[in-house]
Amino acid sequence: MKIQHFLLVMGMLLLASCEEKEVVVDMRIKGITLSEENLAIDIGQSATLTAILETQDAPDRSITWSSSNTEIATVNNGSVTGIAYGQAVITATAANGKEAWCNVTVNYPPPISITLNKTTLSLLVGAQETLIATMLPAVAEQHASWSSNNTSVVSVSDDGVITALLNGTATITATTSNNLTATCVVTVEKLPVTGIQMETVTLEVGVGHTAQAIARVLPFPGAIQTVTWSSNNPSIASVNADGIVSGEALGKAILTATAMENTAYQATCAVAIVPLHTLTLNGYTGSKATINYTDGAAKEHPLENEQTSFVSVNKIIRSITLENGSTILIGRNANSGNITLKISGSAVKFRDAEDGFIPIGSYAEFRLVSGALAGSYKMEADLDFMDEIWTPIASPFTGVFDGNHHTVANILVTATGDKGLFARLQGGTIKNVGVASGTIGASNIDGFSGGIVGYIMTSGTISGCFNKATIASSANNIGGIAGYCYSTNDIRIIACYNTGDVEGQTYVGGIVGNINNNNNTVIACYNTGRITTNRPNGTYMGGISGNSGTIIACYNTGEVIGHTGAPAEAIGGNKQGCYRKDGSGAGTATVFGSAEWPSTGANAEWGTGDGSGDGKYWKSLGGWNGGNPMYPKLFFEE
């Protein structure tokens, strides 16, 4: 047993000794070098590298060869072959791991011939053709440089595209990198002028900016395309020989393009030189921004000190795209003035208050109001909501929102709950803002709907506002300005009007759907919209109020259509000094007529003025005009 144990131990020692010998580095190989450190060959060409070992009689003198990119160059026992254009590193490795390298550059072989797909060509003036150069061998570089010996007759691009400019003859030459050439003789013919067509019939150019006017001589191709340009008012819009229009001052001008070959043919372009406005992105670190329009057009603007200028064309700016790809909804007509935003990272923030009011000049800024319901805000421009689905400002709004007599167009509200420009108002004030167009409502039977506010809670004031959107819902308490007013005595709707159609189930009104208490008042308001119920037994409908409230110095000319047995009041509520058009609904309001017309003496709230004081809400009280009435207008109406 002892002998077996001894043999086992000795065997393990011998095995360990053998394994240790396998990892011993042969120190007799001191290094390895190659005959070339850098090598240049052509595609398909081969060259041999020689590896030299620095050794003291090492028994293993083998060399292993490899390429860093076999798609560019391969190596076999030191023979390097070029496969494709590019670079590769050839490595020679000795048995003990020592390495040497050679940088190999594989080039295209020089061509031995060049030919063109066409050697002669006939073209009409204005026509284009592409010449194709082919070099042999096929692996040779296929690039050629192009030239024309008569550039006034035929021009040629870097890609071999030739353009016939003038009648005559020109020779086009393609030249290889090793100066082999091939030619094509081009003959250009012209046709007599038959007309001239202005491609840019109208142009809008900013003051200090330029634009390209384009005219085409007919027939095209065929006729000489040279035209002369002139402006009938160069102090407004000047034009150079190439049709580049420069905006010199605000105004209009007519450009005329005349065919040089036959001056009897002319075409004109109407040019409007329009103001420039600025886009300012305070806090933005990018170098550019893109202005996107609702018609799909977009223009990238470089920014200098966070600012750039843009032409105030008559179309809506949908959004601004920042350099990082973030999009900010704007909803402004491009000719509505300067646009200023405050940017933090990629998000819009409120700008600093001016005279106590935070300015609102974009869709994105309006949306921020939902996060700061007690603030004071003032609009600085008309906004277009672009039929984006609008989520009403979260409830309740308790601050002051002054529209500054600006409007919101193309509103689209389909949300559940209370619906309107604002969802709810409590103790706050909304004034001087108009909903110019759109649709507010949903099929869901919940929530209150109004053009300005869905629900006025406990207190609040709406003044100087209007609605022209369609208000339609399957719920109750639907109104042109407000849906439902709930308070003991502290809600006032003053100097507002509605022209939009209003439809609901029960409690439907041109100004307000439902007022729970006669201590709440509607003063100096009117409705011309159509008021209807979509419920077979729907009740409580009125041209001003669907139910209750004290209604002072108001009138209605819109239809109020109820079902059989359902009240359809021309005014509604507890009326004082109110008027109605004959046929606009039932009730005790006075019917307009030659002897029945509102006056300052009939009620104190029928006073005219600028809206700055109680009773001075009307711009004009109009008149009967012999049966062609001019109905009263509020102080802020045009």
Side-chain angles (χ1 to χ4, degrees):
M1 178 63 71
K2 289 182 178 180
I3 294 174
Q4 290 177 344
H5 179 71
F6 174 77
L7 292 175
L8 177 62
V9 171
M10 290 301 295
M12 293 176 65
L13 290 173
L14 287 171
L15 180 61
S17 175
C18 292
E19 290 177 350
E20 192 173 309
K21 285 182 181 179
E22 289 180 1
V23 297
V24 171
V25 176
D26 189 343
M27 300 301 295
R28 287 171 292 184
I29 299 178
K30 304 296 184 182
I32 181 173
T33 58
L34 291 178
S35 55
E36 303 285 348
E37 292 184 358
N38 297 287
L39 180 65
I41 56 177
D42 292 335
I43 296 173
Q45 185 181 9
S46 297
T48 300
L49 294 175
T50 302
I52 304 168
L53 290 175
E54 183 184 350
T55 179
Q56 295 178 345
D57 299 325
D60 188 351
R61 303 171 66 85
S62 62
I63 304 296
T64 302
W65 297 87
S66 63
S67 170
S68 65
N69 193 338
T70 57
E71 293 182 356
I72 301 297
T74 60
V75 60
N76 181 18
N77 197 28
S79 178
V80 181
T81 302
I83 304 300
Y85 179 81
Q87 292 183 324
V89 176
I90 302 300
T91 302
T93 305
N96 68 343
K98 297 286 185 178
E99 293 181 336
W101 304 272
C102 175
N103 296 314
V104 176
T105 299
V106 181
N107 297 311
Y108 292 108
I112 60 174
S113 68
I114 178 174
T115 56
L116 297 181
N117 61 324
K118 295 183 179 180
T119 57
T120 61
L121 193 59
S122 294
L123 295 175
L124 291 174
V125 168
Q128 288 187 324
E129 186 84 17
T130 300
L131 293 177
I132 300 173
T134 302
M135 277 70 83
L136 295 177
V139 293
E141 182 179 8
Q142 296 298 306
H143 175 73
S145 59
W146 297 87
S147 62
S148 169
N149 74 337
N150 195 342
T151 54
S152 63
V153 172
V154 180
S155 65
V156 61
S157 72
D158 292 340
D159 299 323
V161 178
I162 62 174
T163 302
L165 304 174
L166 189 66
N167 58 304
T169 302
T171 299
I172 305 300
T173 301
T175 304
T176 67
S177 57
N178 60 341
N179 293 321
L180 300 179
T181 62
T183 61
C184 176
V185 177
V186 181
T187 301
V188 180
E189 298 178 359
K190 70 173 182 177
L191 295 176
V193 176
T194 60
I196 185 169
Q197 176 180 316
M198 187 68 71
E199 298 294 307
T200 48
V201 178
T202 60
L203 277 177
E204 287 183 318
V205 184
V207 175
H209 281 226
T210 61
Q212 177 71 64
I214 302 172
R216 178 167 289 179
V217 181
L218 303 176
F220 180 84
I224 300 295
Q225 293 300 301
T226 306
V227 300
T228 57
W229 290 93
S230 62
S231 169
N232 74 333
N233 200 342
S235 63
I236 299 295
S238 61
V239 61
N240 69 8
D242 297 320
I244 303 296
V245 186
S246 298
E248 308 294 347
L250 296 179
K252 296 182 178 180
I254 300 296
L255 304 182
T256 300
T258 303
M260 188 187 70
E261 287 287 293
N262 188 334
T263 58
Y265 294 103
Q266 295 181 331
T268 59
C269 171
V271 178
I273 307 302
V274 296
L276 287 177
H277 295 310
T278 58
L279 167 65
T280 304
L281 302 177
N282 293 324
Y284 179 50
T285 58
S287 62
K288 60 184 178 180
T290 301
I291 296 180
N292 310 296
Y293 296 89
T294 53
D295 64 359
K299 185 173 182 181
E300 185 179 279
H301 292 261
L303 298 175
E304 184 176 349
N305 298 324
E306 304 177 343
Q307 191 175 80
T308 190
S309 61
F310 61 93
V311 175
S312 53
V313 293
N314 187 27
K315 55 184 180 180
I316 301 298
I317 295 175
R318 177 176 183 79
S319 63
I320 293 172
T321 302
L322 304 182
E323 198 167 12
N324 63 5
S326 300
T327 298
I328 299 168
L329 289 174
I330 301 299
R332 281 270 294 274
N333 194 299
N335 63 16
S336 67
N338 300 330
I339 296 176
T340 301
L341 298 172
K342 185 176 181 179
I343 306 295
S344 178
S346 60
V348 175
K349 301 294 183 183
F350 280 132
R351 287 174 278 159
D352 295 337
E354 300 173 5
D355 298 325
F357 288 87
I358 295 171
I360 301 295
S362 65
Y363 182 103
E365 288 174 322
F366 207 134
R367 279 257 47 92
L368 295 177
V369 175
S370 280
L373 296 167
S376 296
Y377 307 96
K378 183 177 288 188
M379 290 177 67
E380 62 184 12
D382 294 342
L383 296 180
D384 192 315
F385 281 8
M386 305 169 291
D387 290 323
E388 292 281 326
I389 294 178
W390 176 254
T391 301
I393 298 300
S395 63
F397 180 74
T398 60
V400 176
F401 189 93
D402 184 352
N404 201 21
H405 298 297
H406 288 297
T407 62
V408 169
N410 294 314
I411 189 172
L412 177 60
V413 180
T414 60
T416 58
D418 301 326
K419 292 171 279 294
L421 186 61
F422 290 74
R424 294 183 176 186
L425 175 68
Q426 184 173 36
T429 297
I430 300 172
K431 60 183 180 179
N432 306 328
V433 62
V435 176
S437 61
T439 303
I440 297 172
S443 60
N444 57 289
I445 306 179
D446 76 324
F448 314 133
S449 298
I452 304 299
V453 175
Y455 183 15
I456 305 178
M457 307 168 62
T458 69
S459 62
T461 299
I462 301 176
S463 66
C465 295
F466 70 83
N467 172 67
K468 296 183 180 181
T470 298
I471 315 293
S473 176
S474 298
N476 300 328
N477 305 297
I478 313 299
I481 298 296
Y484 184 39
C485 300
Y486 183 85
S487 173
T488 56
N489 61 0
D490 201 18
I491 292 176
R492 298 205 309 166
I493 301 176
I494 305 171
C496 296
Y497 73 85
N498 172 69
T499 64
D501 290 345
V502 182
E503 179 182 307
Q505 286 202 12
T506 296
Y507 302 120
V508 185
I511 298 297
V512 59
N514 188 5
I515 303 177
N516 79 308
N517 192 301
N518 283 338
N519 292 327
N520 299 309
T521 55
V522 177
I523 302 171
C525 296
Y526 73 86
N527 170 69
T528 65
R530 186 172 185 265
I531 314 303
T532 58
T533 176
N534 51 32
R535 182 179 180 181
N537 58 347
T539 58
Y540 300 106
M541 304 171 61
I544 299 297
S545 171
N547 180 57
S548 196
T550 297
I551 315 301
I552 304 172
C554 295
Y555 75 88
N556 174 55
T557 63
E559 288 184 284
V560 184
I561 304 172
H563 293 291
T564 302
E569 282 267 347
I571 299 295
N574 181 21
K575 296 171 281 296
Q576 298 178 21
C578 293
Y579 291 79
R580 63 185 173 97
K581 179 183 177 182
D582 189 25
S584 65
T588 59
T590 302
V591 177
F592 284 114
S594 58
E596 302 294 346
W597 200 265
S599 66
T600 55
N603 187 286
E605 309 299 351
W606 280 108
T608 58
D610 59 4
S612 59
D614 287 346
K616 299 180 180 180
Y617 303 125
W618 299 94
K619 179 179 182 179
S620 169
L621 297 184
W624 181 246
N625 295 336
N628 297 300
M630 297 290 292
Y631 292 106
K633 294 294 182 185
L634 292 167
F635 69 92
F636 56 86
E637 295 186 77
E638 295 181 356

